[in-house]
């Protein structure tokens, strides 16, 4: 029986010896050996933020979009879709294991393009998932079970913090490839190519389709082309994570360019999509997982196995968010409103980037802050060191993750000046 | 132009076609059948007497409230779920005046339906129960059980999922001797998945005295109780009565898990609302357990869906709506009880061979008719009455309009096919 780690005295239950740990009694717990799990690094930031009483505090931790008043933003197209759905008085019968057909079809179309050869030949299987996380996890589980050629998944350095435990829990081995260059706060293209050239054949390489999280650094189209070529030469299995389609440039086709290019080049990719950010459907958990297969027959086999994986996790996915997303994607008027709103959200972010850079300059900072406007999407890798981050949090109540990542969505025209002031103070 | 990768063998070339999930295949087959008198007694979802799905009136009311409330948004829930749902759901299971809740040693994780709650519990147990990462701890599931139980625990990493005796086909009732025997022989610390009420698929539950015997052995032999509660309220029509077993075990000092589903009793099937109630020795242990469950949730779905959780939380936490909900639940339970009474009466009136007491003795949505696979095949092929190969029927599929046809079909089948 495991010894208790905690030395706290547990009053009336059993007896306790500080040197030996808990003395096993008739009433001792099954869980005495369970260690306290560390707080989630990203979500823990919000917890700390909530406890702070400074009226000027800023939450630049989790990547959820905020409007210029710093408030959560429910898209108009979402409200309209909800009203439409409500009026239909639908039943609540179980969805199929693979989810709502109207959703999966339009979800795939959004990513691949309506004229995609893949869709025409029916050689994709797209299932509805529990947002991006659920999609990555099912994809990882599938690879773990069926991609016998390799256990290795290569993540860019750095990557979203949750990628590593997701793939690990699915039974894959994590490896890394160079990606971000701290000296330029930009893309380490040479390092990426170099590392890809050394990856064992048939390894899995994870690529962020656009708006890389946490750095905001994306390859340019020409660079993507070279990456696609090299990846093909190395015969690697490509797993795209696309959580920000529309959110990066404001243009959904432009943001999906890399995904579509790889497919055109013959890569049969695995693709995770999230509608948390681009439709503001965070808590409704809307996502998709697509596997591009050799042909429709193979897609059917893969589909059957995906169902076998999904059923013992949650049986079938939640309806509400998928129904909203499908309604928007399949109703012309709502779709157009959505495109505009995504464009607006992306534009506000871009504007905040410009204002932050400008404010830093007028604060008198002599550092090069070009990366603030070069980077794209919700996040900015400021280049701040952990001790500077700590000062920014302690002295200015600006909350962000230790790696120097800030969510631009938390920046408003009302607080961008304060933020610039704080960043300048800890970096001058 | 042939893209390069098409020339090589696909990485998925070896992926075999998996068999379809039986219960969904049954519904698919039913849909394709064109016979005018076809009846679907397969998948476990409630139907009205017009054979329609039923969105509970209280749910419609609350949904309207949610849609019209512009102060609500779609932000992420906490990883462990909506706090108001978790606490209210645990109260429903353990009772408002539960001493364990008062002691602060009850916590919960919102899950995606009952399945999700089971899976989180299973993943936790595999990592942290009976040592660390002990995949060999035996997990016992009833014979028969809901078919997904096996896969939930196996995919969570357990290598030894075994049956415990449960259904006595000869007497069409509980095999208590078999249960007690398996409990005595199980290795200490084995995990037992117990159906809190309305056993799926047999509809046969232990009596309170039988539960007491089971609890006594489990405590003496340090066996872990993992309750699956998918039908609270649905079985007897009374929430407290249906939770008696769980509450008894808690009163006997068990640390246990209870996976709750609100799919059936709230009719919220597709919104995936569930809750894993965790009863621990004390608050300290509970806190550590929940912190580890958080890590498991984070790599599975990050945080759970909010719509269904809101509906249930609002309902359970508002006295008027709660009362209205209980009424809706009783409506469903009563209709099932009526169908049980009528089916048995009709079979007896027809002089159908065999005994049919089990139809009214069993409880909940399902009935284990006792029909064998050949008889089931006859029912489907010749009579277009769809039921599971195990002989399980969903009582909710019966209506005043089709019950005569179903009774006659059973009569014919049992008479003709042995």
């Amino acid at each position: 029986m495991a010894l208790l780690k905690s030395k706290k005295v547990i009053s009336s239950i059993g007896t306790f010896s500080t040197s030996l740990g808990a003395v096993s009694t008739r009433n001792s717990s099954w869980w005495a050996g369970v260690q306290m799990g560390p707080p989630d690094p990203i979500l823990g930031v919000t917890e700390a933020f909530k406890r702070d009483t400074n009226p000027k505090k800023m939450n630049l931790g989790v990547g959820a979009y905020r409007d210029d008043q710093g408030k959560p933003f429910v898209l108009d197209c979402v409200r309209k879709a909800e009203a439409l759905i409500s009026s239909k008085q639908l039943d609540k019968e179980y969805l199929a294991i693979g989810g709502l057909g109207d959703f999966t079809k339009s979800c795939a179309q959004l990513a691949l393009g309506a004229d995609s050869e893949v869709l025409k030949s029916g050689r994709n299987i797209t299932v509805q998932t529990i947002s991006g996380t659920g999609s990555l996890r099912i994809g990882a589980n599938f690879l773990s079970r069926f991609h016998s050629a390799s256990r290795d998944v290569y993540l860019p350095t750095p990557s979203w913090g949750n990628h590593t435990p997701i793939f690990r829990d699915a039974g894959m081995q994590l490896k890394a490839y160079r990606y971000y260059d701290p000296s330029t706060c930009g893309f380490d293209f040479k390092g990426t190519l170099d590392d890809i050239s050394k990856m064992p054949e048939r390894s899995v390489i994870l690529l962020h389709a656009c708006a890389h999280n946490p750095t905001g650094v994306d390859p340019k189209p020409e660079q993507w082309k070279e990456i696609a070529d090299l990846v093909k030469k190395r015969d690697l299995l490509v797993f795209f994570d696309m959580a920000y389609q529309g959110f990066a440039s404001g243009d959904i086709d432009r943001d999906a360019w890399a995904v579509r290019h790889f497919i055109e080049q013959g890569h049969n990719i695995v693709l995770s999509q999230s509608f948390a950010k681009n439709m503001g459907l965070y808590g409704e958990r809307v996502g998709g997982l697509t596997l591009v297969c050799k042909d429709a027959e193979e897609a059917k086999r893969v589909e059957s196995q995906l169902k076998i994986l999904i059923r013992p996790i949650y049986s079938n996915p939640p309806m509400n968010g998928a129904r909203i997303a499908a309604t928007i994607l399949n109703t012309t008027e709502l779709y157009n409103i959505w495109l505009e709103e995504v464009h607006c959200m992306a534009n506000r972010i871009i504007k905040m980037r410009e204002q932050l850079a400008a404010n830093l300059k007028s604060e008198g900072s002599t550092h090069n802050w070009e990366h603030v406007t070069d980077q794209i999407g919700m996040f900015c890798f400021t280049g701040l060191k952990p001790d500077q981050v700590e000062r920014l949090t302690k002295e200015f109540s600006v909350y962000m993750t230790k790696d120097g990542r800030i969510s631009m969505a938390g920046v408003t025209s009302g607080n961008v000046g304060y933020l610039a002031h704080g960043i300048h103070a800890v970096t001058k | 132009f042939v893209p390069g990768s098409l020339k090589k063998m696909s990485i998925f070339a070896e992926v075999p076609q998996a068999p379809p999930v039986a219960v969904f295949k049954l519904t698919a087959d039913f849909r394709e059948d064109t016979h005018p008198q076809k009846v679907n007694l397969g998948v476990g979802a409630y139907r009205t007497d017009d054979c329609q799905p039923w969105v509970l009136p209280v749910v419609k009311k609350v949904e309207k409230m949610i849609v019209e409330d512009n102060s609500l948004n779609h932000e992420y829930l906490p990883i462990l779920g909506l706090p108001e749902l978790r606490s209210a759901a645990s109260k429903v299971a353990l009772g408002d005046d539960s001493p364990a809740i008062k002691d602060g040693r009850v916590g919960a994780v919102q899950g995606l339906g009952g399945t999700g709650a089971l899976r989180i519990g299973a993943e936790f147990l595999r990592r942290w129960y009976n040592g660390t990462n002990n995949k060999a701890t035996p997990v016992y599931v009833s014979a028969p059980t809901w078919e997904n139980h096996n896969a939930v625990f196996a995919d969570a990493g357990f290598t030894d999922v075994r049956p415990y005796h449960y259904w006595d086909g000869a007497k069409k009732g509980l095999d208590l001797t078999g249960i007690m025997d398996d409990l005595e022989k199980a290795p200490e610390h084995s995990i037992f998945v117990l159906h809190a009420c309305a056993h799926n698929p047999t509809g046969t539950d232990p009596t309170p005295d039988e539960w007491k015997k089971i609890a006594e052995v489990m405590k003496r032999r340090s066996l872990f109780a993992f309750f699956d509660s998918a039908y609270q309220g649905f079985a007897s029509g009374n929430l407290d009565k249906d939770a008696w077993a769980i509450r008894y075990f808690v009163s006997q000092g068990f640390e246990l898990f209870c996976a709750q589903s609100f799919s059936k009793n709230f009719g919220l099937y597709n919104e995936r609302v569930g809750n894993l109630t965790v009863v621990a020795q004390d608050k300290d242990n509970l806190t550590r357990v929940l912190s580890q469950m958080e890590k498991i949730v984070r790599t599975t779905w990050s945080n759970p869906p909010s719509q269904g959780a809101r509906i249930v939380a609002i309902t359970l936490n508002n006295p008027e709506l709660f009362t209205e909900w209980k009424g809706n639940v009783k409506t469903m339970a009563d209709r099932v009880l009526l169908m049980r009474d009528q089916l048995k009466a009709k079979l007896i009136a027809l002089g159908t061979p065999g005994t049919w007491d089990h139809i009214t003795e069993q409880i909940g949505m399902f009935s284990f008719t006792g029909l064998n696979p050949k008889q089931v095949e006859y029912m489907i092929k010749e009579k277009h009455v769809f039921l599971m190969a195990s002989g399980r029927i969903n009582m909710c599929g019966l209506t005043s309009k089709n019950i005569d046809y179903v009774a006659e079909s059973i009569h014919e089948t049992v008479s003709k096919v042995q």
Side-chain angles (χ1 to χ4, degrees):
Chain A
M1 169 107 172
L3 295 177
L4 270 176
K5 307 274 175 185
S6 165
K7 289 196 163 58
K8 275 195 334 207
V9 176
I10 299 172
S11 52
S12 56
I13 299 169
T15 57
F16 202 93
S17 155
T18 46
S19 56
L20 293 176
V23 175
S24 187
T25 71
R26 196 172 55 86
N27 287 332
S28 54
S29 169
W30 289 126
W31 316 125
V34 175
Q35 292 161 23
M36 186 69 188
D40 184 277
I42 299 170
L43 301 171
V45 170
T46 297
E47 300 298 306
F49 167 82
K50 283 194 186 127
R51 290 192 292 265
D52 192 325
T53 51
N54 184 343
K56 289 192 152 171
K57 64 180 180 176
M58 290 177 69
N59 187 0
L60 302 181
V62 77
Y65 181 80
R66 294 286 176 264
D67 63 17
D68 202 49
Q69 274 69 53
K71 297 269 173 288
F73 174 55
V74 177
L75 277 65
D76 190 44
C77 61
V78 167
R79 287 217 194 280
K80 287 187 158 68
E82 285 178 307
L84 246 177
I85 292 164
S86 175
S87 70
K88 289 195 181 144
Q89 294 290 289
L90 302 164
D91 67 39
K92 302 229 163 270
E93 294 299 286
Y94 287 123
L95 286 178
I97 300 176
L100 183 66
D102 283 347
F103 169 72
T104 54
K105 208 154 163 268
S106 51
C107 166
Q109 220 176 72
L110 181 69
L112 272 43
D115 52 354
S116 165
E117 161 273 322
V118 167
L119 295 177
K120 288 196 176 77
S121 58
R123 64 187 184 93
N124 66 302
I125 169 61
T126 301
V127 293
Q128 179 188 338
T129 57
I130 315 301
S131 206
T133 301
S135 177
L136 288 161
R137 182 55 183 274
I138 301 296
N141 283 357
F142 184 85
L143 293 178
S144 182
R145 196 172 270 190
F146 293 105
H147 187 52
S148 43
S150 175
R151 290 299 68 193
D152 293 338
V153 178
Y154 284 81
L155 300 181
T157 304
S159 193
W160 181 45
N162 207 18
H163 277 146
T164 295
I166 287 172
F167 281 99
R168 184 184 299 139
D169 279 5
M172 303 297 280
Q173 305 261 56
L174 278 312
K175 297 246 158 50
Y177 62 92
R178 277 171 288 168
Y179 187 83
Y180 176 73
D181 185 346
S183 64
T184 61
C185 291
F187 184 38
D188 181 1
F189 186 40
K190 191 173 172 311
T192 295
L193 290 179
D194 211 28
D195 286 348
I196 291 176
S197 70
K198 300 192 181 103
M199 288 178 193
E201 292 188 352
R202 320 203 89 189
S203 307
V204 180
I205 179 169
L206 183 123
L207 301 166
H208 295 226
C210 65
H212 181 271
N213 178 3
T215 68
V217 170
D218 287 348
K220 306 262 178 297
E222 296 314 305
Q223 294 170 322
W224 272 125
K225 285 178 177 171
E226 272 196 64
I227 293 169
D229 276 346
L230 185 56
V231 165
K232 198 196 293 188
K233 283 200 183 70
R234 299 301 307 147
D235 194 19
L236 306 175
L237 201 174
V238 175
F239 198 143
F240 266 111
D241 185 354
M242 185 155 70
Y244 298 98
Q245 187 184 5
F247 219 101
S249 68
D251 182 319
I252 48 137
D253 293 310
R254 200 164 142 195
D255 288 350
W257 185 86
V259 168
R260 296 174 190 182
H261 176 74
F262 270 66
I263 291 174
E264 275 160 32
Q265 294 300 301
H267 296 272
N268 285 348
I269 65 169
V270 179
L271 168 68
S272 283
Q273 289 170 264
S274 168
F275 289 85
K277 283 84 172 171
N278 61 11
M279 280 194 181
L281 289 174
Y282 308 93
E284 301 295 341
R285 320 308 293 127
V286 192
L289 173 69
T290 293
L291 278 82
V292 178
C293 302
K294 181 163 151 282
D295 51 41
E297 186 273 333
E298 182 172 277
K300 278 267 159 292
R301 280 185 283 116
V302 169
E303 179 185 18
S304 71
Q305 294 294 348
L306 287 172
K307 288 178 178 173
I308 299 282
L309 274 169
I310 291 171
R311 170 80 164 148
I313 305 179
Y314 52 86
S315 279
N316 39 70
M319 164 67 94
N320 196 52
R323 179 73 77 186
I324 294 170
T327 303
I328 292 170
L329 293 174
N330 293 314
T331 310
T332 312
E333 189 212 325
L334 296 183
Y335 184 69
N336 289 333
I337 295 174
W338 176 58
L339 291 181
E340 263 178 53
E341 293 189 288
V342 167
H343 191 73
C344 268
M345 289 193 286
N347 269 359
R348 195 183 89 67
I349 302 278
I350 291 168
K351 200 153 159 233
M352 289 301 102
R353 289 181 178 279
E354 288 162 6
Q355 286 191 12
L356 180 59
N359 272 280
L360 284 163
K361 194 161 175 214
S362 53
E363 283 280 333
S365 178
T366 52
H367 295 289
N368 179 350
W369 295 103
E370 260 176 49
H371 54 283
V372 170
T373 44
D374 282 344
Q375 290 166 8
I376 194 168
M378 200 179 278
F379 300 113
C380 172
F381 231 37
T382 55
L384 292 181
K385 310 269 181 297
D387 59 297
Q388 292 168 326
V389 171
E390 205 181 328
R391 275 191 65 199
L392 198 51
T393 303
K394 279 210 166 77
E395 293 170 34
F396 294 91
S397 294
V398 174
Y399 289 80
M400 53 199 284
T401 47
K402 276 203 286 281
D403 53 7
R405 180 192 91 162
I406 58 174
S407 168
M408 293 306 302
V411 181
T412 69
S413 49
N415 64 25
V416 65
Y418 177 74
L419 177 62
H421 180 72
I423 292 177
H424 177 57
V426 306
T427 55
K428 63 181 174 195
Chain B
F1 167 66
V2 178
S5 74
L6 293 185
K7 298 197 196 111
K8 297 199 188 83
M9 197 167 82
S10 164
I11 47 170
F12 303 133
E14 302 299 310
V15 174
Q17 175 78 28
V21 178
V23 67
F24 300 135
K25 170 109 190 0
L26 191 74
T27 293
D29 290 345
F30 168 81
R31 282 208 189 102
E32 280 178 29
D33 189 322
T34 51
H35 195 271
Q37 283 183 298
K38 65 178 182 176
V39 182
N40 187 359
L41 301 179
V43 79
Y46 179 79
R47 291 285 177 269
T48 62
D49 197 58
D50 292 314
C51 221
Q52 292 303 307
W54 192 49
V55 179
L56 274 58
V58 72
V59 167
K60 282 192 185 174
K61 191 184 274 186
V62 174
E63 274 191 317
K64 193 160 180 289
M65 282 163 57
I66 291 173
V67 161
E68 289 169 0
D69 186 347
N70 280 328
S71 74
L72 289 177
N73 55 41
H74 293 289
E75 293 298 293
Y76 289 125
L77 286 181
I79 299 176
L80 294 181
L82 187 65
E84 293 85 349
L85 168 73
R86 295 159 56 209
S87 56
S90 293
K91 272 214 180 101
V92 165
L94 302 183
D96 272 336
D97 49 359
S98 162
I101 293 179
K102 286 194 172 69
D103 287 344
R105 59 191 187 89
V106 174
V109 180
Q110 180 186 337
L112 266 81
T115 307
L118 282 164
R119 182 60 178 262
I120 299 302
E123 292 279 354
F124 175 86
L125 290 173
R126 191 261 297 161
R127 286 165 172 73
W128 296 103
Y129 174 71
N130 199 24
T132 45
N133 204 34
N134 187 352
K135 299 179 175 177
T137 301
V139 178
Y140 283 81
V141 298
S142 65
T145 193
W146 180 48
E147 113 286 338
N148 205 18
H149 277 149
N150 286 279
V152 168
F153 285 88
D155 279 14
F158 285 104
T159 55
D160 185 357
V161 182
R162 330 171 170 178
Y164 61 90
H165 287 87
Y166 194 84
W167 169 253
D168 184 336
K171 72 175 221 225
K172 291 207 193 78
L174 192 74
D175 179 3
L176 185 65
T177 314
I179 297 175
M180 300 309 292
D181 204 43
D182 285 335
L183 290 171
E184 292 288 358
K185 294 202 175 102
E188 283 197 352
H189 307 306
S190 295
I191 296 163
F192 273 75
V193 180
L194 307 168
H195 297 228
C197 68
H199 182 271
N200 178 0
T202 69
T204 301
D205 293 340
T207 63
D209 277 339
E210 287 166 345
W211 274 123
K212 284 179 178 171
K213 292 194 170 80
I214 291 168
E216 188 272 319
V217 182
M218 288 186 71
K219 196 199 287 195
R220 177 169 33 88
R221 308 210 59 252
S222 299
L223 303 173
F224 186 82
F226 197 146
F227 277 100
D228 184 351
S229 177
Y231 301 98
Q232 189 182 1
F234 215 103
S236 68
N238 181 300
L239 291 172
D240 298 313
K241 195 163 164 204
D242 289 350
W244 186 88
I246 306 165
R247 296 175 190 184
Y248 178 74
F249 271 65
V250 171
S251 75
Q252 294 302 297
F254 280 83
E255 290 183 296
L256 55 78
F257 288 173
C258 178
Q260 302 167 262
S261 168
F262 291 96
S263 291
K264 283 82 172 173
N265 58 15
F266 260 88
L268 283 173
Y269 307 96
N270 69 19
E271 298 294 4
R272 317 311 295 127
V273 196
N275 193 56
L276 178 72
T277 287
V278 176
V279 182
Q281 185 70 234
D282 52 53
K283 194 172 188 156
D284 183 72
N285 279 290
L286 176 72
T287 304
R288 283 180 283 108
V289 167
L290 291 178
S291 75
Q292 292 298 346
M293 286 185 171
E294 230 184 56
K295 287 183 66 182
I296 295 167
V297 169
R298 182 62 163 146
T299 62
T300 314
W301 54 63
S302 268
N303 41 72
S306 69
Q307 178 72 357
R310 277 177 173 158
I311 294 170
V312 175
I314 290 171
T315 305
L316 295 181
N317 286 306
N318 176 308
E320 271 173 36
L321 294 173
F322 184 65
T323 301
E324 190 178 339
W325 173 59
K326 285 196 284 190
N328 290 172
V329 173
K330 189 156 190 313
T331 298
M332 293 191 285
D334 283 349
R335 194 178 97 66
V336 170
L337 289 168
L338 180 66
M339 290 298 101
R340 286 187 180 279
D341 280 342
Q342 290 190 353
L343 181 61
K344 173 178 158 184
K346 287 181 194 295
L347 288 170
I348 290 174
L350 285 168
T352 309
T355 57
W356 300 100
D357 290 335
H358 56 285
I359 302 283
T360 47
E361 277 161 14
Q362 287 165 5
I363 195 165
M365 200 181 274
F366 301 114
S367 177
F368 235 36
T369 55
L371 294 177
N372 65 41
K374 272 174 48 194
Q375 291 167 331
V376 169
E377 204 184 330
Y378 187 90
M379 285 282 280
I380 297 175
K381 285 212 165 78
E382 303 301 325
K383 309 307 297 179
H384 306 274
V385 176
F386 289 74
L387 65 159
M388 300 298 288
S390 60
R392 182 191 91 168
I393 60 173
N394 176 7
M395 299 306 300
C396 302
L398 290 173
T399 70
S400 55
K401 297 157 192 70
N402 67 22
I403 194 162
D404 284 318
Y405 178 70
V406 172
E408 282 153 19
S409 300
I410 293 175
H411 179 80
E412 183 183 312
T413 303
V414 170
S415 307
K416 282 191 172 164
V417 183
Q418 263 70 58

